[in-house]
Amino acid sequence: MPIEKFITLTSTCVPLPIENVDTDQIVPARFLKATTREGFGENLFRDWRYDKSGKPRQDFVLNNGRHTGQILLTGKNFGSGSSREHAAWAIKDFGFKVVVSSFFADIFRNNSLNNGLLTVQVSEEFLARLFESVEADPSTRVKVDLENQEISVLPDGPREKFDINSYKKNCLLNGYDDIDYLMSMRDEIMEWEKKME
Amino acid sequence: MTKTIFDKIWDRHVVKSIPDGPDVLYIDRHFIHEVTSPQAFGGLRQRNAEVFHPEKTIATADHNVPTIDQHLTIHEELSRVQVEKLKTNCLENDIELYGLNHPYNGIVHVIGPELGITQPGMTIVCGDSHTSTHGAFGSIAFGIGTSEVEMVLASQCLMQPKPKSMRINVEGVLQEGVTSKDIILYIISQISTGGATGYFVEYAGSAIRNLSMEARMTICNMSIEMGARGGLIAPDETTFEYIRGREYAPAGSEWQKKVEFWRALPSDPGAEFDKELHFDAAGIEPMITYGTNPGMGTGISGMIPSLEEIDNASRNSFLKSLEYMDFYPGEKMIGKKVDYVFMGSCTNGRIEDLRSFSSFVKGKKKAEDVIEWIVPGSKQVEKQAEEEGIKQALEAAGFEMRQPGCSACLAMNEDKIPEGKYAVSTSNRNFEGRQGPGARTMLASPLTAAATAITGRVTDPRTFL
C-alpha cells in the first residue's frame, strides 16, 4: 500500500514556540480509544485548543485565525514521550504535511515518516529566524524541498539544508512503504532464520 | 575488535543492511496491547496478509482496563471495544492473549519479565515507549509505533537505523531511603528530557550492579524519558537467578547453554561508546519533580530553580510549566500539599515496590485527606501481595489495593486525578494532563510516595528512617 508522496511543499506556517511538546499534548491518552487511523485531527492539541467545556481557546494558535498553513513550526524536542503513532496521525489528519523543529524525539520522527509526514530538523538559529518571520508576517511562505533537502523562506529569506537518511527520503519521494518492502523479504527472512537456528 | 553488549545483540539480529539506510532487524519477542495494535491488524487485513510468526507475539490488556470489578463487563464503551478487538484479533491470528482476568494478565512490561519471556540477548519490541524496561535483562528492547507493530506482525522484522551508544556509569553506594527510581530521576534531571535522544544507553557501575532485577527495571523503564531509544544493563548472576524457574525460562540442559551464551554478552573491556557519563550514587537524594516533564526534578530537600537559572530560550516553556503546576520559581518542594498518591505502573508496580511501600506505612496511618490508589502491576503481583500479607498490612494502615493495570499512570480508564489536584505518583510521566485533564503530577519513588501518603504533604522519606 503506497504512502502519500512528498516532493516539495510551499505553504504558510503555524508557529508553536514551545519546547518539549510531548505526545500526550499532541493527543491526550483518553482520545486513543479508536480502532482506526482516521479522525484524530479533531483532538490535536486537545487540552491546549479547547477549554474543559469544549469551547475553543481563542489564545491558542490553531484557533486565533492569525496563522494557517500546512507547516507546523515547533520548539525543540518535539514529540517526546509516548510512542503513540496517533500523534503523527492527528497532525497529518489536521492538515499538516511538515513539522519543523530544532530537535525531534526518535519514535515520533519514525512514526511521522512512516505516515508521509515530513519532519525537518533545522538549527536553533534558523528556527528562531523562522519563528520571527512567521510571527511578524503570518503570510510568510516557506518552501520545503525534499529532493534538494532545503528549507527556505520565500522569496529570498534565509535558507538551510536539512538531513534525512537517504532510504527514507527515497521512500517519501516515491511513496514506498516499509511494510510492503518487508513482506517482499519474507523468503529471505526465513532463510536467515534457518541459518541462525 | 571490542564490542559493546548493544553491538553484540544488534549485529546478530541484522537480517540485511540497506546501503546508506536502516538495518532490517529481526525481532525475537513482540508484545502487544489493546491501544496501539488494532490499526496494525487492520492494516494487515487490508493487505490480505497473515501474521508471519504468531508464536512470537504475546498480548495483554492493560492500558484502559478498570482496576475495580474486573470480573464485570468493562463499563466504558470505547475501552470495552478496544479490549474486545484485541481478543478477536488474537483469536483470528492465533496469538497468545493474557486478557483481563487471566492469571497472567497485567501491565505488559511487568508480565514479560515475571513470566520469563524476557531474556538476555533478545530483541524485544512493543507499541509502548516503556518497552525499554526489558533492557534490564541485557536485551535490546524499545518502543515502536503502530506502523512498526504492523511491520513486526507482517515480517518479524523492523527497519531501524542503528542508534549511537552511550554508557551511563553510576558508582558508589546509595544513601538509605534512596532507590533506583531516584537514580533515574536524578540522571534525567541532569541531562534533560532530550539528553539521550538518538542514543541507546547502557547503565553500568557498582551502584547499578548492586540493584535487584526489579530495581534495574525501574531504571531501564525511564530511559525513554531522557529521549533514549532504549536502555540496558548487562546480565549477571542477579539476572540469571531472577529468570531461573520462571514459566518460559529455559530448563534442563537448555538452561546451561543459555547461561553460557548470556555470560558472553557484556560489553568487552575497552569497548567504545559515542558518549560516556559518570554519576556519584552517594550524592543522590530522594527525588521529586516540580514541572511538566520528567527532566524537571530536584532532590527533595531542594528548590524549584529560580528564573535566573534557566536559559533565556527556555524560560517561556519553564514558566508555562510552573503556571500549570501553580508553583513558583525558587519555592521549596517539601511540605507542599498533596491530594492523591498513586502507587503502581510499569515503573514501580512490582512486588518489591509494594513491599517497600507497605513496610514503610506499617504501623502508621494514611493521612485522612489523601486519596490513594495502589495498583499492582499484574495478577501475579496481586496474588503474591496477598500471600505475603502486604494487602492486609496496607489495609491496616488505611490503604486499599486495587486490581492490576496501567491505571492512573496515563488515566485511560476511570482512574483520573481531578483537575487542579496534586498527585505524588510512582509512575513515569508528569506531562500536562497525563493523569487526567488538569491533573498536577509530581513523580517520586515508592518510599517518597509512602511518606507523602502518611503526612499529606511532600515528605522526605529519610525523616522517618
Side-chain angles (χ1 to χ4, degrees), chain A residues 33 85 167 180 186 193, chain B residues 26 50 53 146-147 159 412:
Chain A
K33 294 186 182 180
E85 193 161 315
Y167 168 83
D180 284 343
R186 278 179 167 194
E193 286 173 329
Chain B
Y26 192 81
E50 287 180 354
H53 283 320
T146 297
S147 296
M159 315 277 279
M412 277 195 81

Side-chain angles (χ1 to χ4, degrees), chain A residues 19 22 24-25 32-34 36-37 48 52 81-82 85 106 111 166-167 177 180-181 186 192-193, chain B residues 16 20 26 39 47 50 53 76 79 82 145-147 150 154 159 198 314 317 412 419 429 432 434:
Chain A
E19 296 181 353
D22 57 79
D24 274 81
Q25 303 323 309
L32 305 185
K33 294 186 182 180
T36 61
R37 292 173 190 240
W48 289 348
K52 52 180 172 183
S82 153
E85 193 161 315
D106 279 338
N111 288 341
S166 65
Y167 168 83
D177 171 27
D180 284 343
Y181 176 78
R186 278 179 167 194
W192 181 89
E193 286 173 329
Chain B
K16 179 178 173 175
D20 204 15
Y26 192 81
Q39 291 89 348
R47 291 168 202 273
E50 287 180 354
H53 283 320
E76 214 266 321
S79 298
Q82 271 193 335
T146 297
S147 296
E150 192 177 335
M159 315 277 279
S314 303
S317 301
M412 277 195 81
E419 180 175 8
R429 286 184 177 140
E432 284 185 32
R434 170 80 179 182

Side-chain angles (χ1 to χ4, degrees), chain B residues 16 116 130 136 166 194 337:
Chain B
K16 179 178 173 175
H130 294 110
M166 181 190 291
K337 175 88 183 65

Side-chain angles (χ1 to χ4, degrees), chain A residues 16-36:
Chain A
L16 186 68
I18 302 171
E19 296 181 353
N20 303 315
V21 175
D22 57 79
T23 53
D24 274 81
Q25 303 323 309
I26 300 174
V27 56
R30 62 188 192 281
F31 298 108
L32 305 185
K33 294 186 182 180
T35 51
T36 61

Side-chain angles (χ1 to χ4, degrees), chain A residues 1 17-20 22-25 28-37 40 47-48 52 76-77 80-86 89 103-107 109-111 114-115 124 165-168 177-183 185-190 192-193 196, chain B residues 12-16 18 20-22 24 26 35-36 38-39 43 46-47 49-50 52-53 64 76 78-79 82 85 127-129 143-148 150-151 154-155 157 159-160 193-194 197-198 224 227 229 293 313-314 317 320 410 412 419 429 431-432 434 437:
Chain A
M1 294 195 298
I18 302 171
E19 296 181 353
N20 303 315
D22 57 79
T23 53
D24 274 81
Q25 303 323 309
R30 62 188 192 281
F31 298 108
L32 305 185
K33 294 186 182 180
T35 51
T36 61
R37 292 173 190 240
F40 287 101
D47 292 336
W48 289 348
K52 52 180 172 183
K76 77 171 173 215
N77 197 26
S80 56
S82 153
S83 63
R84 60 189 69 163
E85 193 161 315
H86 313 64
W89 296 335
F103 196 71
F104 289 98
D106 279 338
I107 306 180
R109 188 203 322 249
N110 281 352
N111 288 341
N114 283 334
N115 285 278
E124 291 280 351
N165 103 34
S166 65
Y167 168 83
K168 269 291 164 203
D177 171 27
D178 280 353
I179 303 172
D180 284 343
Y181 176 78
L182 285 170
M183 283 180 56
M185 271 188 68
R186 278 179 167 194
D187 286 345
E188 206 175 324
I189 295 167
M190 281 193 282
W192 181 89
E193 286 173 329
M196 292 304 286
Chain B
R12 66 193 307 277
H13 286 85
V14 173
V15 176
K16 179 178 173 175
I18 296 171
D20 204 15
V24 175
Y26 192 81
V35 177
T36 60
Q39 291 89 348
Q46 273 184 301
R47 291 168 202 273
E50 287 180 354
F52 188 50
H53 283 320
N64 62 25
E76 214 266 321
L78 292 172
S79 298
Q82 271 193 335
K85 195 91 190 161
D128 186 282
S129 59
I144 56 176
T146 297
S147 296
E148 293 172 314
E150 192 177 335
M151 288 177 211
S155 70
C157 289
M159 315 277 279
Q160 290 288 311
T193 184
T197 303
I224 182 69
R229 202 72 186 84
N293 73 56
S314 303
S317 301
K320 181 178 186 302
L410 83 169
M412 277 195 81
E419 180 175 8
R429 286 184 177 140
F431 297 152
E432 284 185 32
R434 170 80 179 182

Side-chain angles (χ1 to χ4, degrees), chain B residues 101-154:
Chain B
N101 298 310
H102 190 288
Y104 292 165
N105 175 256
I107 305 175
V108 59
H109 312 308
V110 175
I111 69 167
E114 80 183 359
L115 290 170
I117 298 171
T118 302
Q119 293 170 21
M122 285 181 168
T123 48
I124 300 172
V125 296
C126 173
D128 186 282
S129 59
H130 294 110
T131 308
S132 56
T133 313
H134 307 259
F137 290 78
S139 62
I140 293 184
F142 55 91
I144 56 176
T146 297
S147 296
E148 293 172 314
V149 171
E150 192 177 335
M151 288 177 211
V152 179
L153 290 174

